[in-house]
């Protein structure tokens, strides 16, 4: 493919308006070309930074647009599989917000559709594109902290708006599906391992998990993490080895939650800090996606990787189903 990849967005979601729309517009090798929304007023903020944006009044029209090569899907969770399959059937490359499925088994259809279409489909798991996570992975896997023995993680925010889709079971809401992908997927990304066992204790409200305390065993190390959508905002990941510790202070919302930093706690209580103040993982994600589309190189976060994270989410939800 020559020239930039032309993108369309299905739905004028707040996250697309504030983060991914601007990221697609800013990314090298990408061009934000179209938006699908029935409400013209919702298109106005997108046109403010992308004046030549074409606005379709329905999703099918955008998928039929021959100019569009790639589609970004920020729809509610329960609509992700349906519209990813429709976009693939239309011959589009697809980047879909997490979680791309609500159950691991649904990946069978997505992978089959991706392979049949010969296009790229991926979950929008942006953190693997951030240099802080690539640096953390390199340090852990190079033995900088010695043998890894324990991983801890936490991510929380306070959302008590019952009209919000994160608090609606029918829309695939709940903390684990919204933010569990971070504490699970980041551990898998850094270590390259899958859990041997996993258990969870979960607090439920109206069919939605609001707090989850997870414990797992991996080959050579143990793991515990929690997620909550009813607590003060907080996030952190630590990888604790025999000879040191790696701590990420704004691991999942770098630039919004705080500066992206990787702390390397060395023997003798020395701490070396590497900062990443300028990196935008949303832009980096789009650029990586476009490189894979144009050049055919392997995408850093394929569906097969995302499937493993969804398997952990499924295990945690099943383990904590009795509350």
């Amino acid at each position: 493919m020559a020239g930039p990849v032309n993108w369309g967005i299905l739905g004028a979601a707040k996250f697309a308006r504030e983060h991914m729309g601007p990221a697609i517009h800013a990314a090298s090798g990408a061009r934000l070309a179209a938006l699908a929304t029935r409400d013209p007023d919702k298109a106005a903020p997108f046109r403010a930074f992308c004046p030549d944006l074409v606005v379709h009044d329905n999703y099918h029209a955008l998928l039929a647009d021959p100019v569009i090569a790639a589609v970004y899907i920020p729809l509610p969770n329960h609509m992700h599989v349906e519209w990813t399959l429709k976009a693939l059937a239309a011959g589009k490359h697809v980047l879909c917000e997490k979680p791309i499925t609500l159950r691991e088994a649904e990946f069978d259809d997505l992978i089959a559709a991706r392979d049949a279409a010969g296009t790229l489909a991926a979950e929008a798991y942006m953190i693997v594109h951030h240099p802080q996570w690539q640096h953390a992975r390199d340090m852990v896997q190079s033995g900088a902290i010695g043998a890894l023995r324990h991983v801890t993680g936490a991510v929380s925010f306070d959302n008590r708006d019952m009209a919000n889709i994160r608090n609606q079971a029918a829309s695939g809401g709940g903390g684990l599906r919204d933010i569990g992908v971070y504490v699970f997927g980041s551990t898998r990304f850094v270590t390259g391992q899958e859990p041997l066992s996993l258990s969870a204790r979960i607090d439920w409200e109206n069919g939605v998990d609001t707090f989850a305390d997870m414990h797992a065993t991996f080959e050579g190390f143990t793991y515990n993490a929690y997620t909550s959508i009813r607590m003060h905002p907080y996030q952190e990941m630590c990888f604790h080895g025999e000879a040191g510790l790696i701590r990420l202070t704004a691991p999942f919302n770098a630039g919004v939650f705080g500066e992206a930093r990787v702390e390397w706690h060395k023997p003798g209580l020395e701490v070396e800090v590497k900062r990443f103040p300028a990196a935008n993982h949303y832009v980096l994600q789009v650029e990586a996606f476009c490189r894979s589309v144009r050049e055919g190189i392997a995408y850093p976060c394929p569906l097969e990787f995302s499937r493993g994270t969804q398997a952990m989410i499924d295990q945690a939800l099943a383990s904590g189903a009795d509350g």
Side-chain angles (χ1 to χ4, degrees), residues 205-322:
E205 294 180 21
N206 301 317
V208 167
D209 62 288
T210 59
F211 174 84
D213 178 25
M214 286 81 65
H215 297 263
T217 58
F218 289 75
E219 185 67 39
F221 68 93
T222 52
Y223 168 95
N224 72 271
Y226 67 84
T227 63
S228 177
I229 57 174
R230 294 290 189 274
M231 294 169 65
H232 181 77
Y234 180 68
Q235 53 186 251
E236 182 181 71
M237 289 293 298
C238 291
F239 298 83
H240 200 156
E242 292 181 346
L245 179 144
I246 297 294
R247 176 174 177 258
L248 291 89
T249 58
F252 311 128
N253 296 105
V256 175
F257 191 82
E259 183 185 56
R261 301 195 307 270
V262 176
E263 298 177 357
W264 179 15
H265 295 247
K266 301 179 179 181
L269 301 182
E270 178 186 358
V271 180
E272 179 179 306
V273 180
K274 189 171 182 64
R275 292 176 166 84
F276 304 89
N280 183 314
H281 48 199
Y282 302 118
V283 172
L284 294 172
Q285 175 180 241
V286 173
E287 291 178 344
F289 192 96
C290 290
R291 284 194 297 272
S292 293
V293 168
R294 290 196 312 271
E295 303 170 26
I297 61 177
Y299 187 63
C301 188
L303 291 178
E304 287 79 3
F305 175 86
S306 297
R307 181 174 196 151
T309 299
Q310 187 60 48
M312 290 188 72
I313 293 172
D314 288 357
Q315 291 174 54
L317 289 170
S319 175
D322 61 0

